């Protein structure tokens, strides 16, 4: 392990919910829950105000509504979250070439590889500067952990939440870990935790005291060795800049169980097409097609078929998924369907079966485009959907967001990230003056940066920070500060 805390772990605080609060002045300081709002939806993120009521990520939305009935429940806006994530990741890449994203809101950074830090003092300064830059650039907060290894850096960022920074000094790791519960260690989930508890092991110190042989006996060779090493604060995993995708998949959960076999087949075909679009967008192909079916009783079945070579042909993937579906009994109803492709490659193998499938599809008149609606359905325009929390614009009242909709009405609150809490108005769902809109920036662009963007440069491409901590003076910045070794 390293002798300095130069591995940084950043975790944005309640990311989706915080972004929604920043975008909507009327929700700041209030309980906000983001996730699927259907009967089987789950919580993606809850604000800290909602967590005070016991709402947690991955909780069924129905349970969250019982715990916090007065919270604001919003549908995710992934386009907004991705744009913010790109800005934050840009700041991280300015620190080091070794950035390992774990999700939109979480990443490891090897500060030593970028010569950004080499000891505790320089690492702490970089962490504080990063937090200030994130706030200045996005208006959001992130928690930073610094340690000599990835495991401890992640533990440190958890201890720093919300909106803090924790540095674990080398040599203090064992004393810090010993009283912590075993669930703090990576790879210890509810099942492993219960298994250890039944053996009288409840803390990390208990793991170290039990010894490696006992851990191997309880958990098996691989898991036992790994867990014992982590209990002794040993973690030599490097920060990996590129994480190779192992599979591409899509799935849908249905509010009402699907019983009609024809409808199930149609949904599988639609999911196969979505999966292929993701494959092609990533420039990949795959040779193993996987079908996932979760039935009415929560039993989950997976079936797979491996082709002779990798493909990104939608007809081939659809036909393979349909063949896999034939072996699954869906009589009692289906609550979830998924289609995936693994065995990925960056090329496509021309295959006679693929060509034949494509010819059959062309002969039958099928294409990748959606089927035309029957004439009687074309004459009746579909009711416009207004997801809660999404942006809209009204010809008279300007920019706002949807508070809710139903019974032919949609309620909109008119406000922007930089305004005061706005007024609420109600319209017909088919009001011609109301239309969906793109999200507004959470933080207005600085004029100088706006000019750069107009000249073809990213508004956030500069490695200069959006703001500096008070502990940084102009002279220290001119001398390089914590961005280079003196």
């Amino acid at each position: 392990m390293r002798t300095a805390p130069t591995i940084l772990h950043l975790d944005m605080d309640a990311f989706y919910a915080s972004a929604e609060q920043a975008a909507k002045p009327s929700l700041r300081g209030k309980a906000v829950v983001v996730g699927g709002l259907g009967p089987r939806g789950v919580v993606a993120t809850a604000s800290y105000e909602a967590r005070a009521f016991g709402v947690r990520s991955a909780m069924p939305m129905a349970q969250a509504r019982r715990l916090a009935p007065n919270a604001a429940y919003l549908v995710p806006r992934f386009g907004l979250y991705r744009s913010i994530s790109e800005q934050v990741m840009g700041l991280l890449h300015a620190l080091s070439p070794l950035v390992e994203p774990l999700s939109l809101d979480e990443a490891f950074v090897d500060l030593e590889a970028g010569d950004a830090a080499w000891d505790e003092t320089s690492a702490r300064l970089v962490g504080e500067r990063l937090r200030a830059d994130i706030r200045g650039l996005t208006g959001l907060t992130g928690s930073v952990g610094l340690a000599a290894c990835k495991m401890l850096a992640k533990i440190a960022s958890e201890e720093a939440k919300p909106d803090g920074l924790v540095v674990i000094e080398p040599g203090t790791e064992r004393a810090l870990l010993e009283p912590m519960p075993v669930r703090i260690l990576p790879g210890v989930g509810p099942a492993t935790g219960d298994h250890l508890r039944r053996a009288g092991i409840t803390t990390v110190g208990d793991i170290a005291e039990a010894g490696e042989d006992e851990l191997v006996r309880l958990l098996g060779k691989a898991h036992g060795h790994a867990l014992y090493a982590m209990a002794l604060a040993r973690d030599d995993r490097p920060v990996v800049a590129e994480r190779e995708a192992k599979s591409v998949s899509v799935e849908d959960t249905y509010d009402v169980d699907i019983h009609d076999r024809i409808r199930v087949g149609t949904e599988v075909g639609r999911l196969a097409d979505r999966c292929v679009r993701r494959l092609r967008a990533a420039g990949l192909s795959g040779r193993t097609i996987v079908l996932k079916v979760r039935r009415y009783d929560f039993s989950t079945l997976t079936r797979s078929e491996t082709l002779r070579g990798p493909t990104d042909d939608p007809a081939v993937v659809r036909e393979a998924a349909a063949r896999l579906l034939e072996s699954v009994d869906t009589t009692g109803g289906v609550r979830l369907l998924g289609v995936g492709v693994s065995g990925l490659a960056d090329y496509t193998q021309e295959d006679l079966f693929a060509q034949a499938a494509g010819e059959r599809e062309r002969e039958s008149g099928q294409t990748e485009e959606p089927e035309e609606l029957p004439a009687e359905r074309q004459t009746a325009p579909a009711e416009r959907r207004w997801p809660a929390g999404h942006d809209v614009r009204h010809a008279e009242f300007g920019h706002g967001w949807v508070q809710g909709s139903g019974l032919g009405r949609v309620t909109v609150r008119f406000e922007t990230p930089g305004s005061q809490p706005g007024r609420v108005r109600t319209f017909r769902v088919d009001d011609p003056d109301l239309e969906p809109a793109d999200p507004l920036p959470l933080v207005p662009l600085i004029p100088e940066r706006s000019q750069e963007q107009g000249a073809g440069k990213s508004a956030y491409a500069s490695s200069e920070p959006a703001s500096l901590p008070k502990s940084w003076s102009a002279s220290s910045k001119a001398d390089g500060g914590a961005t280079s070794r003196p």
Side-chain angles (χ1 to χ4, degrees):
M1 278 205 343
R2 305 184 182 198
T3 58
T6 53
I7 290 184
L8 180 149
H9 181 260
L10 170 70
D11 197 352
M12 299 295 288
D13 300 322
F15 182 46
Y16 298 170
S18 294
E20 297 297 347
Q21 288 176 318
K24 302 171 173 64
S26 59
L27 297 185
R28 293 170 191 169
K30 297 182 180 178
V32 174
V33 181
V34 180
L37 302 189
R40 291 173 177 168
V42 297
V43 175
T45 306
S47 69
Y48 286 98
E49 295 84 355
R51 295 180 190 187
F53 293 96
V55 180
R56 295 289 183 271
S57 298
M59 173 182 288
M61 191 62 76
Q63 182 181 356
R65 288 184 183 276
R66 289 194 294 270
L67 293 172
N70 296 320
Y73 289 87
L74 308 177
V75 176
R77 296 187 293 164
F78 288 110
L80 172 65
Y81 310 148
R82 289 191 190 97
S83 67
I84 299 171
S85 176
E86 288 171 1
Q87 295 173 11
V88 173
M89 295 301 167
L91 292 174
L92 300 184
H93 281 288
L95 294 174
S96 172
L98 291 184
V99 176
E100 183 178 338
L102 304 179
S103 61
L104 289 177
D105 61 337
E106 186 179 2
F108 286 109
V109 185
D110 187 336
L111 299 179
E112 201 172 278
D115 204 28
W118 51 92
D119 59 13
E120 180 190 345
T121 301
S122 59
R124 187 182 293 273
L125 283 174
V126 169
E128 292 289 1
R129 181 182 184 182
L130 175 63
R131 292 177 57 235
D133 288 352
I134 290 172
R135 184 186 289 274
L137 190 60
T138 69
L140 305 181
T141 63
S143 296
V144 170
L146 290 156
C149 67
K150 290 168 71 173
M151 178 191 74
L152 291 170
K154 185 171 175 61
I155 290 174
S157 70
E158 284 295 320
E159 293 295 310
K161 282 186 169 293
D163 190 21
L165 181 147
V166 168
V167 180
I168 298 179
E169 301 176 19
T172 66
E173 299 95 344
R174 290 284 301 277
L176 175 77
L177 285 174
E178 283 184 355
M180 290 185 170
V182 294
R183 289 288 302 277
I184 199 73
L185 298 178
V188 181
T192 302
D194 287 343
H195 192 49
L196 293 172
R197 179 180 53 79
R198 288 194 295 269
I201 299 173
T202 59
T203 67
V204 177
D206 292 338
I207 293 177
E209 185 177 347
E212 190 168 14
D213 291 342
E214 178 66 8
L215 266 293
V216 169
R217 186 186 70 81
L218 288 171
L219 304 175
K221 188 173 183 181
H223 201 180
H225 284 310
L227 198 58
Y228 182 71
M230 287 188 290
L232 300 181
R234 299 173 187 164
D235 180 15
D236 295 324
R237 294 174 298 159
V239 176
V240 181
E242 297 294 334
R243 299 172 68 89
E244 184 177 353
K246 296 183 179 179
S247 65
V248 174
S249 63
V250 296
E251 62 182 42
D252 276 345
T253 300
Y254 304 99
D255 292 343
V256 179
D257 290 347
I258 302 175
H259 292 83
D260 181 36
R261 183 75 177 187
I262 296 177
R263 167 82 188 285
V264 173
T266 300
E267 290 295 317
V268 168
R270 183 179 60 82
L271 291 168
D273 287 343
R274 281 174 52 194
C275 185
V276 169
R277 286 197 291 271
R278 287 193 181 183
L279 268 180
R280 290 181 169 181
L284 297 170
S285 60
R287 54 194 307 266
T288 300
I289 314 303
V290 181
L291 174 70
K292 177 179 177 181
V293 180
R294 180 166 297 149
R295 298 187 291 189
Y296 69 98
D297 58 357
F298 286 90
S299 61
T300 302
L301 305 176
T302 57
R303 300 288 185 269
S304 64
E305 175 181 320
T306 300
L307 308 175
R308 295 194 304 184
T311 184
D312 64 354
D313 189 313
V316 175
V317 177
R318 273 199 301 269
E319 286 204 357
R323 285 194 297 273
L324 295 170
L325 179 61
E326 291 175 0
S327 65
V328 178
D329 179 14
T330 62
T331 305
V334 171
R335 60 183 293 122
L336 177 146
L337 290 169
V339 174
V341 177
S342 59
L344 301 181
D346 56 3
Y347 68 95
T348 300
Q349 174 93 17
E350 292 297 335
D351 185 41
L352 291 177
F353 290 123
Q355 294 174 6
E359 290 172 3
R360 287 195 299 272
E361 188 173 88
R362 285 189 291 273
E363 289 172 0
S364 64
Q366 294 182 9
T367 66
E368 291 184 53
E369 299 299 320
E371 296 180 3
E372 292 187 4
L373 293 173
E376 64 272 14
R377 290 179 61 189
Q378 292 180 10
T379 58
E383 183 178 287
R384 299 166 73 185
R385 293 184 65 252
W386 301 102
H390 282 224
D391 296 84
V392 295
R393 177 170 291 281
H394 191 273
E396 179 181 354
F397 302 108
H399 193 93
W401 58 277
V402 176
Q403 278 201 325
S405 63
L407 301 177
R409 298 285 177 176
V410 55
T411 301
V412 177
R413 184 181 288 273
F414 291 96
E415 60 187 6
T416 63
S419 74
Q420 296 295 317
R423 295 188 61 182
V424 175
R425 298 180 184 273
T426 300
F427 309 90
R428 300 193 318 272
V429 293
D430 59 352
D431 190 317
D433 290 336
L434 190 67
E435 60 183 7
D438 292 329
L440 297 177
L442 301 186
V443 176
L445 294 179
I446 300 174
E448 293 80 0
R449 294 185 175 182
S450 299
Q451 294 171 7
E452 289 180 358
Q453 193 171 31
K457 296 174 64 177
S458 167
Y460 303 108
S462 171
S463 61
E464 289 297 316
S467 59
L468 294 172
K470 294 180 180 179
S471 59
W472 280 59
S473 64
S475 59
S476 66
K477 179 174 177 287
D479 293 335
T483 60
S484 62
R485 191 187 298 265

